Amino acid sequence: MVINAAVHYACLAMMDLAMHSNDGQPVRTSEITSRHDIPGPYLVQILRTLKSTGWVRAVRGSQGGYVLAVDPDSITLLDIAEAIGCTESTDRGDQPMSDAQRALQRRWNEASEESRKRLARVRLGDVIRECQDVAAPMFYI
């Protein structure tokens, strides 16, 4: 499985919405792009895709933006990758393969399946909590 830029940006955007939309206040795309260096037009395209899944809601108006419409613990990283269109990198289609290529292809498929299993175990909320733990101030006595 290839984790492309779109998947990475989609995860960042959803995390940002969860962490910065205080009391349901929408987050502007300009804020997300400045915090994570995501190209603006690309972010809008990604947010439209996320909106079509029902995970993100758009708010119109001068104070508009986007809000996360679901609990971050209800979405896995695999869910996001599949919604954005993450592809398998090793699919050779119907091309003939040598014995060595078939053996190697099996290993790529195994690695891809393992990455899918791992991503299915990680919830967006888990990653958000990890970020918040790192950002929490430390007090020493």
Side-chain angles (χ1 to χ4, degrees):
M1 168 174 270
V2 175
I3 306 300
N4 58 30
V7 172
H8 183 73
Y9 291 158
C11 291
L12 283 173
M14 291 183 69
M15 290 171 61
D16 194 281
L17 293 176
M19 294 175 8
H20 293 101
S21 76
N22 303 322
D23 300 322
Q25 292 296 315
V27 178
R28 294 181 180 173
T29 56
S30 60
E31 296 171 22
I32 299 171
T33 59
S34 67
R35 280 192 282 264
H36 304 291
D37 199 29
I38 303 171
Y42 198 34
L43 176 61
V44 171
Q45 181 182 7
I46 290 167
L47 288 169
R48 283 187 189 137
T49 301
L50 294 172
K51 183 181 168 197
S52 72
T53 66
W55 297 336
V56 169
R57 184 173 50 87
V59 178
R60 292 182 174 214
S62 62
Q63 300 299 313
Y66 291 86
V67 293
L68 193 63
V70 295
D71 180 359
D73 285 319
S74 69
I75 303 167
T76 67
L77 296 185
L78 180 62
D79 294 334
I80 299 168
E82 289 177 340
I84 294 300
C86 195
T87 60
E88 299 298 322
S89 65
T90 59
D91 186 16
R92 293 184 44 97
D94 295 332
Q95 295 178 3
M97 291 190 276
S98 67
D99 291 340
Q101 288 171 322
R102 273 192 295 282
L104 192 54
Q105 184 67 43
R106 278 193 298 276
R107 298 307 176 261
W108 297 144
N109 292 342
E110 290 168 4
S112 179
E113 185 57 32
E114 284 302 312
S115 68
R116 293 179 68 79
K117 287 177 184 176
R118 178 166 284 194
L119 292 174
R121 288 191 305 262
V122 180
R123 305 213 169 273
L124 187 64
D126 299 333
V127 184
I128 292 168
R129 281 185 290 280
E130 182 179 333
C131 290
Q132 291 169 335
D133 290 345
V134 169
M138 297 288 289
F139 296 100
Y140 296 96
I141 298 177

